[in-house]
Amino acid sequence: MASTRTTSEPVQTDQTTEPVQTAQAAAQAAGRAVADAPEKVPLRRWLGVGAVASGTFAMVTLEQLPVGLLSSVGSDLHVSEGTAGLMVTVPGLVASAAAPLLPVAIRRLDRRHVLIGLISLMVAANLLTALAPNFGTLLAARFLVGIGIGGFWAMAAGIAVRLVPSHAVPKATALTFGGATAANVLGIPAGTLIGSVTDWRIAFVSVAVLGLLIVGALVALLPSLPADNAVRLRALGEQLRVPAVRTGILATFFLVSGNFAAFTFVNPLLRDLSGLPGKSVGGLLLLFGAAGIAGNFLAGMLLSRDVRRTIMTVSLTLAAVLALFPLLGAKPVGGVALLVLWGLAFGGIPVSVQTWILRSAPDAAEAATALNTALFNLAIALGALFGGLVVDHLALRGVLWLGAVLILGTSAAIYRARGN
């Protein structure tokens, strides 16, 4: 048998071309990396976002500042604490109407000019509040505050989005609405503290001075922001026909109205029910705000797992705190402990209901958010209004039970909902 032998000749390659090809591939990859790299946001644009965030800080501080000053205002202007609660009710009602209607009314006006005008209106309203000779004049000033709050909240998020490229939108939005959280932690307690150690009028003047600084920042930092499209009311009506959106709005209304029916009167509750000195309320509200920050982040972590269960947990915890306050909060230690738990639960409300709304209307987030903002402010107003009626005609502790009952309505609405 003959045997055959095969040999394998080595393949000859052009060794000189490999480094050239490798270099070309590296250059192409580098070019793609540069093209894919996110656009750098100029510092001036971030400063503009910060100026808008400062506006949200001032607006929320102004909206809720009367909560810590009701006793002082009522005593000085000779009205009951329940009547003084109208300082929260009036701007809340006006803001609930201004939030959806003002964007329609201004049509194609430059949003930069509108935003500067709204902060300027806030400054004027604060000065009128500080100079008010009677309660009627003060309420007229708070009416103007409501226009500023509703209009500002309706446009703030949209303006922040337009200042940065798409990849930076989440960060810009978080910064813009972070001003509201900072107001609860710093603005409202600081304003209350200023009012308690000086005079309630000085507290409002302080916010007016802050507003003037914000106007200057907006003038210097915001570019021209002409309207892209005129806002129409039709989109709002369409979202009301979405069952999940209706459920989210209903949950917002019950949670916020129940909370503010009681929280509007936290000053007399801590003083008369828990036996704490009136001058300590400013510091205690700072503690409440810090707990609210923790509650916001805690709810944010839970929402990634189950939105429905998170809202249920927040609402049931808040209802339990209010229901137990007349019993366990009758001593200073119990009052402070329940106030911290109250802040922890309340801190989870805005992020929870907003997440529900966004998941319910992913393709119409702006319209659905406008509706939710309107109901949020309406709930603040009506909660403060009915809380004031209870304080004047029944008993102070009655606002706690009223708040607990309203908040339980949230649990019922969310429990029956499907999805999310």
Side-chain angles (χ1 to χ4, degrees), residues 3 5 19 30-31 36 38 53 87 96 182 190 194-195 210 212 267 309 382 398:
S3 63
R5 185 168 61 121
D36 294 339
M87 295 173 66
S96 69
I194 291 172
L210 174 62
L212 285 174
N267 190 325
R309 183 173 296 178
L382 294 183

Side-chain angles (χ1 to χ4, degrees), residues 97-109 111 114 151 154-155 158-159 162 226-237 364-371:
L101 295 180
L102 189 64
V104 177
I106 61 177
R107 296 186 177 273
R108 297 186 179 277
L109 287 178
R111 270 36 182 174
V114 175
M155 293 189 300
I159 287 177
R162 295 178 62 183
D228 292 329
N229 296 295
V231 179
R232 301 183 182 277
L233 289 175
R234 182 185 306 170
L236 302 178
E366 185 175 350
T369 299
L371 288 173

